[in-house]
Amino acid sequence: MTDPIPVYLDCDTGVDDAVALAYLLRSPSIDLVGIGTVSGNTSAAQAARNTLDLLALAGADGIPVAVGAHHHSSHEYSGGAAHVHGDNGIGGVELPRSGREPEAVSAVELLIDLSHRYAGRLHVLTIGPMTNIIEALEADPTLPERIAEVTTMGGAANVPGNITAVAEANVFNDPAAADALLTADWDITLVPLDATMEHTLSEADRVTLAEASDPLLRAVGGMLDLYFDFYRPTYGIRTCALHDPLAAVIAAGGTTITRGPRVPVRVDTTHGPGRGQTIADLRGQRLGDRDHPGARTRVVLDVDGSISSHLMQVLTGERPPR
Amino acid sequence: MTDPIPVYLDCDTGVDDAVALAYLLRSPSIDLVGIGTVSGNTSAAQAARNTLDLLALAGADGIPVAVGAHHHSSHEYSGGAAHVHGDNGIGGVELPRSGREPEAVSAVELLIDLSHRYAGRLHVLTIGPMTNIIEALEADPTLPERIAEVTTMGGAANVPGNITAVAEANVFNDPAAADALLTADWDITLVPLDATMEHTLSEADRVTLAEASDPLLRAVGGMLDLYFDFYRPTYGIRTCALHDPLAAVIAAGGTTITRGPRVPVRVDTTHGPGRGQTIADLRGQRLGDRDHPGARTRVVLDVDGSISSHLMQVLTGERPPR
């Protein structure tokens, strides 16, 4: 068994963020050393509240949570996605209120501090808009030197977007920030809709969570109820895409990437119809993955096995620690 | 048997344009009533020369050919794609020179004239950049009222482009023209790379053409030699994508569209990284084709059967007229 990976999580908690958070807390491969929040699914402040309350339910009150950017780098926060994630970001579920408050420092300060404490080992996992990351890169351009790897849920390569025809929500919410993250000097694993839309959770699994004796799982199962409603027209059944959870599973090494070439990726920051699109150069991949020389962003197009099975095993503790 | 469809062809002949032209001349479903040329694979003037010479080989000297736009609406013609189509546009094959010259009128004038002569019945088939079409729409905004349908080879929806990461050549060569075509008030069948890259011609079929006694087929088989070289790295074998031929087959009703929702389509005319991308709103199509109310552009994602078999049957006359 290798040492767990120290992870800074940047999130906008969020129903699927909550699932990812529960997975990261239970994964023996991960040492969650700090969490920053950002506006996206809900406000940065509400995301921090949700995160603190989930950590309390999980008995993980030692993990620092810092509030990050409320507004995005190019525009003001516009109120989140209540129709997807509920008014409070977590499907309307009322969690027991943790007595803990967010850190006095900002998410950017927390990230930079952790990058020194875990220099060369820290893994950055972003599952919300990347506003905190562009601010951290601006505050300290040497940050990438101390980061082992970045895993980012965002974008859509060869599939439609989920906010516009071509743009995915995390990227669309702050295209300039996404472009800054994707062009900084570090190794990135980008987890776009191409992969995440192909991995779903079943209603039976949701009920297992909702009826668990473990209060964390029960809360997560409850908040997935609204999220399943949202995805019903997309899939024709009650289910949900595993966007943020898949990024967490990949960061934890819980699956093998079966298709994921390293290619140049840019974000469309114009105000044209392609705004917020993640433009990955996937030409010439018909015969198999072909890495572009020098490209440092791996675009995940497919992964091995059932992500929902792995997720459920880790969440419910059915899987022995490695 | 229904009456053949009167077709105005707009082309930049071009190796695959030549294959499409040969098919249209041999298809019993098509009455090719006029051809306009445009710069793209080669110059508009060279495309007209190639077209006239091919028509002479086919014994089809009655079909008018008019030279269209040399420069595109937003930029000057930059010299074509000699590495794909050869210096003369037709793979370096020297055709017997037809004595015929292009019409005195421009492609735009020819198209508008034909739209009156075949009012309500004329089918427009574009297999090059759409510069002549934007010029025709500007010259006569009532043109769409007299056109039965438009079929256009262009764009890339859920697959990479072939000029940039997201842009297909015909659209990239004149994004404003493509946007004008796609937003005009007529029914459009858009044939993007999603469909055309999945249909190829085999080396055996190419040899059949190259060794035919029919001089038109022999010429086409010869010019495909260079084109097959170009596509070898893409497919791993000597073959070619059937871009323009597929659009011709669809216009002739020679295949059934199995996936082709009618959705809003726009072209990115910015100068950002998405320039020339054809943005089709294909969200919400996971459970099957779902037409958007009012959308008049059908985006062909998949067609039925083997296009190369049908193409070879029509070209070689093995298929009885319907």
Side-chain angles (χ1 to χ4, degrees):
Chain A
M1 181 175 168
T2 51
D3 286 341
I5 307 159
V7 168
Y8 164 84
L9 174 68
D10 203 90
C11 56
D12 55 338
T13 321
V15 175
D16 63 325
D17 303 68
V19 179
L21 176 60
Y23 170 85
L24 293 167
L25 291 168
R26 295 282 158 89
S27 168
S29 311
I30 297 290
D31 177 15
L32 197 51
V33 297
I35 301 175
T37 66
V38 62
S39 295
N41 298 327
T42 190
S43 70
Q46 181 66 41
R49 186 72 265 152
N50 295 342
T51 304
L52 286 164
D53 295 349
L54 284 162
L55 290 176
L57 270 187
D61 273 333
I63 301 171
V65 175
V67 179
H70 180 67
H71 293 303
H72 299 298
S73 63
S74 57
H75 61 280
E76 295 199 349
Y77 169 61
S78 61
H83 64 297
V84 187
H85 296 274
D87 287 334
N88 67 351
I90 48 174
V93 168
E94 293 293 335
L95 298 177
R97 172 88 183 223
S98 155
R100 201 154 65 101
E101 293 299 322
E103 302 295 301
V105 299
S106 71
V108 168
E109 291 167 295
L110 176 63
L111 168 56
I112 291 173
D113 176 58
L114 291 169
S115 76
H116 286 286
R117 202 175 321 166
Y118 299 92
R121 297 194 293 131
L122 189 68
H123 195 122
V124 172
L125 170 59
T126 79
I127 57 176
M130 291 141 240
T131 316
N132 291 334
I133 310 304
I134 190 173
E135 291 184 5
L137 289 167
E138 285 166 357
D140 181 356
T142 70
L143 174 66
E145 299 169 13
R146 299 185 302 280
I147 301 299
E149 187 165 3
V150 177
T151 300
T152 292
M153 192 279 128
N158 289 336
V159 297
N162 60 5
I163 287 288
T164 74
V166 291
E168 178 277 334
N170 286 342
V171 177
F172 187 78
N173 274 334
D174 201 332
D179 197 50
L181 184 149
L182 289 165
T183 54
D185 192 24
W186 46 23
D187 286 328
I188 304 164
T189 301
L190 182 67
V191 186
L193 298 181
D194 303 61
T196 66
M197 287 296 289
E198 301 309 314
H199 293 277
T200 55
L201 199 69
S202 70
E203 174 68 6
D205 283 340
R206 191 196 69 75
V207 169
T208 298
L209 296 174
E211 295 180 351
S213 56
D214 181 325
L216 177 66
L217 301 192
R218 218 161 50 235
V220 166
M223 60 184 75
L224 281 166
D225 200 28
L226 179 76
Y227 203 56
F228 271 45
D229 286 343
F230 172 75
Y231 275 107
R232 185 176 193 144
T234 301
Y235 291 101
I237 54 169
R238 274 176 60 81
T239 186
C240 74
L242 292 171
H243 302 303
D244 295 347
L246 179 59
V249 169
I250 288 171
T255 184
T256 303
I257 297 167
T258 51
R259 284 182 55 220
R262 289 194 185 273
V263 298
V265 182
R266 291 304 300 262
V267 175
D268 186 336
T269 57
T270 71
H271 289 270
R275 179 171 177 77
Q277 181 178 17
T278 311
I279 297 180
D281 192 349
L282 291 166
R283 290 175 289 173
Q285 303 286 340
R286 184 171 277 267
L287 300 178
D289 283 3
R290 190 174 62 84
D291 292 347
H292 286 234
R296 297 189 68 177
T297 301
R298 187 169 194 191
V299 179
V300 179
L301 299 173
D302 205 1
V303 298
D304 193 39
S306 166
I307 296 304
S308 66
S309 296
H310 169 78
L311 187 71
M312 290 298 292
Q313 282 168 352
V314 171
L315 286 177
T316 60
E318 280 171 19
R319 191 188 196 200
R322 289 187 291 184
Chain B
M1 182 172 166
T2 51
D3 286 342
I5 306 159
V7 168
Y8 164 83
L9 174 68
D10 202 272
C11 56
D12 56 337
T13 323
V15 176
D16 62 325
D17 304 68
V19 179
L21 176 60
Y23 170 84
L24 293 167
L25 291 169
R26 296 280 157 91
S27 169
S29 312
I30 297 289
D31 178 14
L32 198 51
V33 296
I35 301 175
T37 66
V38 61
S39 296
N41 297 328
T42 190
S43 70
Q46 181 66 40
R49 186 72 265 150
N50 295 342
T51 303
L52 287 164
D53 295 348
L54 284 162
L55 290 176
L57 270 188
D61 274 333
I63 300 171
V65 175
V67 178
H70 180 67
H71 293 305
H72 299 298
S73 63
S74 56
H75 61 280
E76 295 199 349
Y77 170 61
S78 61
H83 63 296
V84 187
H85 296 274
D87 287 335
N88 67 351
I90 49 174
V93 169
E94 295 292 336
L95 299 177
R97 172 88 182 222
S98 155
R100 200 153 66 101
E101 293 298 323
E103 303 294 302
V105 299
S106 71
V108 168
E109 291 167 295
L110 176 63
L111 167 56
I112 292 172
D113 176 56
L114 291 170
S115 75
H116 287 285
R117 201 177 319 166
Y118 299 92
R121 296 194 292 129
L122 189 68
H123 195 123
V124 172
L125 170 59
T126 79
I127 57 177
M130 291 141 241
T131 316
N132 291 335
I133 309 303
I134 190 174
E135 291 184 5
L137 289 167
E138 284 166 357
D140 181 356
T142 70
L143 175 66
E145 299 169 12
R146 299 185 301 280
I147 301 300
E149 188 166 0
V150 178
T151 300
T152 292
M153 192 279 129
N158 289 336
V159 299
N162 60 3
I163 287 288
T164 75
V166 291
E168 178 277 336
N170 286 342
V171 176
F172 188 77
N173 274 334
D174 200 333
D179 197 51
L181 184 149
L182 288 165
T183 54
D185 191 24
W186 46 23
D187 287 328
I188 303 163
T189 301
L190 182 68
V191 186
L193 298 181
D194 303 61
T196 66
M197 288 295 289
E198 300 310 313
H199 293 277
T200 56
L201 199 71
S202 71
E203 175 67 7
D205 283 340
R206 190 194 70 76
V207 169
T208 298
L209 295 174
E211 294 180 352
S213 56
D214 180 326
L216 177 66
L217 301 192
R218 217 163 50 237
V220 166
M223 61 185 74
L224 281 166
D225 200 28
L226 179 76
Y227 203 56
F228 271 46
D229 287 341
F230 171 75
Y231 274 107
R232 185 176 195 142
T234 301
Y235 291 100
I237 53 170
R238 273 176 59 80
T239 186
C240 75
L242 292 170
H243 302 303
D244 295 348
L246 179 60
V249 169
I250 288 171
T255 183
T256 303
I257 297 168
T258 50
R259 283 182 57 220
R262 289 192 185 275
V263 298
V265 182
R266 291 303 300 264
V267 174
D268 187 336
T269 57
T270 71
H271 290 269
R275 179 172 177 77
Q277 181 179 16
T278 311
I279 297 180
D281 191 349
L282 290 166
R283 291 175 288 174
Q285 304 286 341
R286 184 171 276 267
L287 301 178
D289 283 3
R290 189 174 62 84
D291 291 347
H292 286 233
R296 297 189 68 178
T297 300
R298 187 169 193 191
V299 179
V300 179
L301 299 173
D302 203 2
V303 298
D304 194 38
S306 166
I307 297 304
S308 66
S309 296
H310 169 79
L311 188 71
M312 290 298 292
Q313 282 169 352
V314 171
L315 286 176
T316 60
E318 281 172 19
R319 190 189 196 201
R322 287 186 293 182

